[in-house]
Amino acid sequence: MGKVFVGRTTPLMRYNQDPMIILSGGTGTPKLLAGMRKIIPEEDMTVIVNTAEDTHVSGNLVCPDIDTILYLFADTIDAEKWWGIRDDTFATNEALRKAGRREVMRIGDIDRTTHIMRSELLRDGYTLTEAISELARRFGIGATILPMTDREVATHIATPDGEMHFQEYWITNAGEPDVLGIRIHGIKDAAPSDAVLAAFDNDDRVIIGPSNPITSIGPIIRLQGMRGILRKKHVVAISPIIGSAPVSGPAGKLMHACGYDVSSAGVIECYRDFLDTFVIDSDDLEISTSSGIGGVEIVRADTMMTSVEKSVALSQRVLDLF
Ligand code: GDP
């Protein structure tokens, strides 16, 4: 996609809204947040972020989805790739490679400082929630960014070559192996963090951004008690699928492997028991809006966020639904 400018290029228009909870992965929902932060105060946003793609790289804990959200709000995100820091260098990664040590992810030098600080905080006894809060404070971020849980969970992909961590599947193997199944290790014992539960005590409006329903939103809604919490909230979700394909990433292959139709209707199936309103793309011809599906209200909008202006417009449309 084209470059999206995420700095404050337009004045902050105050939208009269109560605080919002947004469930997020690391690409589609951050694009939405890039628009939303232009129209509601950052302080009114609580972003609950997937941690099941987290992994250790060269001794440091990397939290890909959380870091994208941190860098978005810190105005340092590389908004062409939607990971890492704009204009970062890769000297350490390259020096390691020359020394025969290939990292599973290509980590930038400045990006790595976040991983070093986080890992140090964790070694000092901070929970992940506390460590992210401290990083957000150091980066001058007003939004509340919450890891979904403080427990360790890890998404693995079963392939004909064996089971592998999501990052090994998606980055090392470029998402090429056939997907036989998805396993989220540790999810059965994982509860939402206390901070996540407290956020739901205060806020009744929940947005599920256009993120992968299997590997980004899937782990969040599979936390203990989470579906029950969401059933009591006003939940609006945006489809990451247009027609029969995702806008980007492996969502199609993963949905298919989990037995879901690769379509907006398939995404509704993932969220059916708690979803109130579903936003699908104006060009999505695969789904009828006339009667809603299973009690879920369907609305259409331009959901292709190829510029920050389009992210703002979609955010406005979504906020108007509450
Ligand atoms: P990940 O953690 O990097 O996998 O990122 P997410 O799960 O947050 O986002 C990936 C999903 O976002 C994919 O399924 C994409 O189809 C979807 N996506 C990315 N950009 C857009 C966009 O501009 N519009 C819509 N509707 N979906 C998008």
Side-chain angles (χ1 to χ4, degrees), residues 245-267:
V247 175
S248 60
K253 222 168 163 179
L254 299 176
M255 286 178 73
H256 181 71
C258 291
Y260 293 104
D261 193 36
V262 183
S263 65
S264 288
V267 181

Side-chain angles (χ1 to χ4, degrees), residues 280-296:
I280 62 167
D281 195 83
S282 313
D283 286 341
D284 196 337
L285 301 174
E286 308 269 322
I287 196 168
S288 153
T289 53
S290 53
S291 54
I293 292 188
V296 177

Side-chain angles (χ1 to χ4, degrees), residues 24-57:
S24 185
T27 306
T29 307
K31 287 186 200 171
L32 181 75
L33 291 167
M36 201 160 283
R37 65 193 288 255
K38 306 261 179 221
I39 54 177
I40 61 173
E42 243 178 65
E43 290 71 18
D44 287 348
M45 290 187 239
T46 299
V47 190
I48 297 174
V49 192
N50 174 41
T51 58
E53 291 173 24
D54 296 4
T55 191
H56 282 85
V57 179

